[in-house]
Amino acid sequence: MQRIAHLGARPGLIAIGTLLFGLVATGITGPASAAESYFLDKEHSEIRFYYSHGGVSEQSGEFLSFKGDAVFDREDFAKSSVSIEIAAASVTSGVPHLDGQLKNSYYFSVKEHPTITYQSREVRQVGERHALIFGDLTIRGVTKPVTLEVELRHDGEHPVGQSIAFYKGQWIGIHATASVLRSEFGMTSYIPVISDRILIEINAELKARKK
């Protein structure tokens, strides 16, 4: 996995936020039609976040339960779109005590706000395999604009499809990053010892729906 740079090194990162998955029309010609509907393969996708622990180290966590839908238009990328829904209670750091804080009022308040969402508003191509996705991220009932910086890593048939039926058909693979201030979503606990700026990284495989 490509690692995001340390928090202190990229404070102005436009990065998320699959988010994300509506993706860029890259100019790559694939065998599929111009516009297709995709869904996220959860078994081969991750949504992770990174933060500074007092400047001593970079720590991370992830969400284990989420779903995503996308439209990828190869001929007119502005018509591409993405929608992501995350179960807030699925957050984990691998540290039981911290997981408890992440789920309570210190951070995500999962009982009061069980769902995190991202909805794209615009997709803009910025390179042969890169795009910016402008959208709205909602956490704890607060919605803020978040930009995803996306790299299209695969567009076409899945290599595993030669041996496993599920993987037959068209796939896209993406890597996306974003930067947010958690304080903007009402999560202010332990700032500045625990960094306000959070980096988000998404690695995902998406499969085209059958027509």
Side-chain angles (χ1 to χ4, degrees):
M1 177 193 301
Q2 178 177 331
R3 184 73 165 182
I4 294 179
H6 189 276
L7 290 166
R10 299 174 68 185
L13 176 68
I14 299 177
I16 206 172
T18 0
L19 189 194
L20 171 91
F21 303 129
L23 291 220
V24 45
T26 63
I28 298 173
T29 301
S33 60
E36 287 189 301
S37 175
Y38 287 80
F39 67 92
L40 184 148
D41 176 15
K42 292 186 290 186
E43 293 186 357
H44 296 91
S45 302
E46 359 177 90
I47 299 176
R48 303 192 63 87
F49 57 90
Y50 299 84
Y51 58 93
S52 173
H53 188 237
V56 177
S57 66
E58 180 183 293
Q59 299 293 308
S60 68
E62 66 177 317
F63 295 96
L64 300 179
S65 180
F66 48 85
K67 58 184 177 181
D69 294 285
V71 172
F72 179 27
D73 192 314
R74 291 170 175 81
E75 293 183 356
D76 186 356
F77 56 86
K79 294 179 180 178
S80 298
S81 63
V82 57
S83 177
I84 305 167
E85 184 176 304
I86 301 169
S90 72
V91 65
T92 181
S93 66
V95 180
H97 173 70
L98 177 55
D99 286 351
Q101 290 189 330
L102 287 171
K103 294 176 183 180
N104 66 26
S105 59
Y106 280 97
Y107 295 103
F108 290 101
S109 296
V110 302
K111 289 184 178 180
E112 295 77 14
H113 305 285
T115 305
I116 298 168
T117 62
Y118 182 81
Q119 179 62 55
S120 66
R121 289 180 280 102
E122 178 187 356
V123 180
R124 185 184 305 167
Q125 184 175 1
V126 294
E128 183 181 0
R129 287 181 172 267
H130 295 82
L132 297 178
I133 298 180
F134 303 91
D136 295 314
L137 177 64
T138 301
I139 302 175
R140 288 172 52 121
V142 178
T143 301
K144 295 290 182 179
V146 170
T147 300
L148 292 167
E149 184 178 289
V150 182
E151 177 188 1
L152 180 65
R153 292 185 167 177
H154 181 80
D155 177 18
E157 295 185 359
H158 202 298
V160 182
Q162 298 178 8
S163 57
I164 301 177
F166 173 75
Y167 292 97
K168 293 184 182 298
Q170 296 299 306
W171 288 76
I172 52 178
I174 66 100
H175 174 260
T177 56
S179 175
V180 302
L181 295 177
R182 61 185 176 94
S183 58
E184 293 187 345
F185 298 92
M187 295 183 285
T188 59
S189 297
Y190 305 120
I191 295 173
V193 176
I194 305 301
S195 62
D196 187 8
R197 186 169 297 279
I198 305 297
L199 299 184
I200 302 166
E201 180 178 42
I202 301 165
N203 283 285
E205 297 185 13
L206 296 98
K207 182 182 182 181
R209 288 187 169 87
K210 294 182 178 180
K211 297 180 180 180

